[in-house]
Amino acid sequence: MNFKLNKVKIAGKEVWPIVEGGKGIALSNGLTSGSFAREGCIGTISGVFADKYRPDGSIIPYSYKGKTRQERQNELIVQAIEGGICQVKKANEVRGRDENNNKNGLVFLNILWEMGGAIPILEGILDGSKGMIDGVVCGAGMPYKLAEICSKRGIYYNPIVSSARAFKLLWKRDYSKYPEYLGAVVYEDPWLAGGHNGLSNSDNPNQPEKPYERVKEIRQFLNEVGLSDKPIIIAGGVWHLSEWTDYIDNPELGPVLFQFGTRPLVTVESPIKLEMKNKFFTLAKGDVRLQQFSPTGFYSSAINNSFLQRLYMNKQRRIKYSESENFDDLYTYPVALFNGMIGKIAERALRKYSVKKALLEKANNYGIIVYINPNDKELYKQFIYDGFDHILKTPDGYLQFFDANTYKMIMQDRRDCVGCLSGCLFSGWSQRENLKISPNPMNFCIQKALQRAAKTSDVENSLLFSGHIGYRFAVDDFYKGGQFIPTIAQLIEQIKKGY
């Protein structure tokens, strides 16, 4: 194969155009990012509630004593800053220096803009690790303040966008004031990338667009505003660089780098358990699904395991309801709700309240009774018969049926909320006083699900984020049919060959 890869200048330094994807909740840590930088590439630390360690190297779990969500979020922020600084120091220890005593490669910090306490966590990590972070990568939202925060500290900022339109909005509102420290623009393909995806209202989740034209639009705008030397980092769907030769050294696209988020998960340095790594060798094309269950409200791509299948099954156990009887007779069958429980107890209570109309109206005023379409009566009874006799309302007007254990877990997870998102559709938490969110049981506690993926071997009951090319582990000869897990150095050497 005739393939040649050249270094690219970014953040004031020439590096190989190979970037580690920033995988949140401890999957891109100091060891992985430092290992990428040591090879002359860009390593990326996840600043999303990073791990901190005891002197013996064991992980210190986050703990909370606060009685309110705000108190617990304050504790979360403090621990996240400590964990982030810990991982930055580790990355710089691992990346080392070259023969001229210059630091190898670059180390970036990845921040999820919509995570709870994003700004104080970012500022705390940057201020606590001066001189050790070369750039900040940030997405999942519109991080307008990113440029100001980084520029004041002499650090390059690298926004993640899924379209030229998104970057234009950021540029016109704020980034144009700080052009000097724009390191690169990260184009994350909203149909192919793993984790949270930047699908806009104008994008059809079922009709993927080829990235070339979208990348070209970003380049055209960069040229218009005098930033033709700023590179674009292409993220999502990247496996073999030999498949991207149309993008490399292409004057129409300018300097580009490529981000690898999924492939580094299956390396020796990757912190996930061996069972999780081996899961990737079992994937077939289509086993990664683009879905909208995340409590962030964003689409996300994850492996279709038992965890995800349960969320899809939940959608099959729901009935539209009304708070009152409708004149058009659509909702005339009453259902009694008592702290989420239905079934015999609720039915007996309903009969009791129905003895007199006045009592029925009183019960209705307290939200004890709602009404469903008589045509759904048998479906309602079947759900109860099957053991799904606990119910929660959804913000979009459905009664959602759960078994007792799932209901108990949902309520406990809501009570344990620590404010890990700026606004959580699952728990109803919002750190913005002017934003009220109705909790939705169709979502889930994302920090709990991702922590399970990062820290346990439970491949079926964890949220396993992956790019849609995850199935290629099983068909790529480099991995010898699942018998070979490379080091990061070996992976980078293979990537530089083009395959």
Side-chain angles (χ1 to χ4, degrees), residues 3 97 167 172 261 446:
F3 179 82
R97 294 175 178 269
F167 180 70
K172 292 177 180 179
I446 192 166

Side-chain angles (χ1 to χ4, degrees), residues 131-234:
M132 290 184 278
I133 296 174
D134 302 301
V136 175
V137 181
C138 187
M142 295 296 281
Y144 293 112
K145 293 182 178 294
L146 178 66
E148 178 183 356
I149 292 170
C150 292
S151 297
K152 285 182 177 180
R153 293 166 174 81
I155 295 172
Y156 289 91
Y157 63 97
N158 307 270
I160 302 173
V161 298
S162 59
S163 66
R165 178 178 176 273
F167 180 70
K168 288 178 183 178
L169 291 174
L170 291 168
W171 177 261
K172 292 177 180 179
R173 174 164 170 174
D174 198 60
Y175 290 6
S176 59
K177 304 172 188 174
Y178 310 96
E180 180 182 359
Y181 283 99
L182 176 66
V185 178
V186 182
Y187 167 73
E188 185 177 73
D189 190 290
W191 293 277
L192 295 175
H196 291 108
N197 306 77
L199 281 166
S200 68
N201 293 333
S202 60
D203 294 322
N204 187 332
N206 300 313
Q207 294 182 0
E209 296 179 16
K210 292 183 178 181
Y212 189 93
E213 290 301 321
R214 294 169 77 97
V215 174
K216 186 173 76 171
E217 288 179 6
I218 295 174
R219 172 57 61 199
Q220 289 172 341
F221 181 73
L222 288 172
N223 292 343
E224 289 174 10
V225 295
L227 300 175
S228 57
D229 61 324
K230 301 294 184 181
I232 297 173
I233 299 175
I234 299 171

Side-chain angles (χ1 to χ4, degrees), residues 263-329:
R263 289 192 77 173
L265 285 170
V266 185
T267 57
V268 172
E269 293 87 349
S270 172
I272 62 175
K273 302 293 185 181
L274 180 60
E275 291 84 354
M276 294 290 185
K277 295 175 185 179
N278 287 334
K279 177 68 174 179
F280 285 94
F281 294 123
T282 70
L283 299 183
K285 193 171 185 178
D287 281 348
V288 176
R289 301 189 66 171
L290 182 64
Q291 38 73 35
Q292 206 173 8
F293 290 113
S294 171
T296 61
F298 298 120
Y299 279 88
S300 63
S301 297
I303 293 173
N304 186 29
N305 60 357
S306 297
F307 177 87
L308 203 59
Q309 289 165 17
R310 283 195 295 271
L311 295 174
Y312 279 106
M313 286 300 297
N314 286 343
K315 295 188 71 173
Q316 308 304 314
R317 291 190 291 269
R318 55 193 335 218
I319 294 175
K320 196 77 175 175
Y321 79 93
S322 173
E323 297 284 357
S324 60
E325 291 183 276
N326 287 3
F327 291 110
D328 58 10
D329 293 330

Side-chain angles (χ1 to χ4, degrees), residues 293 310-321 337 340 342 383 388-403 406-407 410 414 440-443:
F293 290 113
R310 283 195 295 271
L311 295 174
Y312 279 106
M313 286 300 297
N314 286 343
K315 295 188 71 173
Q316 308 304 314
R317 291 190 291 269
R318 55 193 335 218
I319 294 175
K320 196 77 175 175
Y321 79 93
L337 311 178
I342 61 177
F383 289 155
F388 300 98
D389 56 357
H390 286 65
I391 193 169
L392 289 169
K393 298 177 182 178
T394 69
D396 55 349
Y398 284 90
L399 300 180
Q400 189 68 49
F401 295 75
F402 300 97
D403 60 36
T406 302
Y407 174 82
I410 290 172
R414 285 180 176 176
N440 191 343
M442 294 300 293
N443 303 119

